[in-house]
Amino acid sequence: MTRPTQIALRPMLPDDGPILAAIFAASIDELTGDDYAPAQQAAWIGTADDEASFAKRLQAQLTILATVAGEVAGFASLKGQDELDMLYVQPDAVGQGVASALCDALEKIAKGRGAGGLRVAASDTAQGFFAKRGYLALHRETVPLGDEWLGRTAMRLTLAAPDTEH
């Protein structure tokens, strides 16, 4: 019998950089192998080799963490008003609602900030997750990472207009 997972959300703190870099690397390494070659995965993971720069990037955005039993299980970041920039979940927490809780929160925040929609550049691994949430594929794109190229899909979710009736 499985108990429901209790997920708590909190903002990123200055000391969270190393754990977020570790989740980023583990997520790519363990979850994207069906969609990307090992060299592509290594190039992608390499973007967080400088933990201080990685943390600085996340601190410049609205970054929230999901915790399960007090341990960080995933994180997501909102860049500007309407771009979901990063969403990564610890591999052993996949399927427990962590990514959904993070997306729910960022979608609500974006809507509250007046965004009419939310954009995401979804990896091939994450595209199905976003499609199930109502994100529509706009176009394919390829981005360079070192000597490698990674394919992804630009997607957009239309956020319902705020209720203005009183």
Side-chain angles (χ1 to χ4, degrees), residues 22-164:
I23 290 171
F24 177 82
S27 179
I28 295 164
D29 184 50
E30 296 181 38
L31 302 176
T32 68
D34 288 344
D35 301 301
Y36 297 96
Q40 290 173 308
Q41 290 175 296
W44 190 356
I45 291 167
T47 63
D49 282 349
D50 182 342
E51 286 181 5
S53 292
F54 185 73
K56 188 175 180 180
R57 174 181 174 184
L58 291 172
Q59 289 167 343
Q61 302 177 16
L62 179 105
T63 301
I64 56 173
L65 282 64
T67 62
V68 175
E71 298 294 321
V72 179
F75 70 95
S77 67
L78 183 66
K79 183 177 180 181
Q81 179 177 304
D82 65 352
E83 182 182 351
L84 197 161
D85 185 42
M86 290 196 193
L87 173 62
Y88 291 90
V89 174
Q90 188 75 280
D92 62 3
V94 168
Q96 296 179 28
V98 173
S100 293
L102 289 163
C103 275
D104 288 346
L106 288 186
E107 289 165 7
K108 186 174 182 177
I109 290 167
K111 182 178 175 181
R113 290 181 169 183
L118 200 55
R119 298 175 292 125
V120 66
S123 70
D124 292 349
T125 305
Q127 186 178 355
F129 168 80
F130 286 110
K132 286 179 187 171
R133 294 188 63 83
Y135 286 73
L136 299 177
L138 302 175
H139 61 268
R140 288 286 294 166
E141 55 190 29
T142 308
V143 293
L145 285 181
D147 293 337
E148 296 296 322
W149 290 85
L150 268 70
R152 62 188 191 186
T153 301
M155 302 181 82
R156 180 173 169 79
L157 174 70
T158 300
L159 298 171
D163 184 9
T164 55

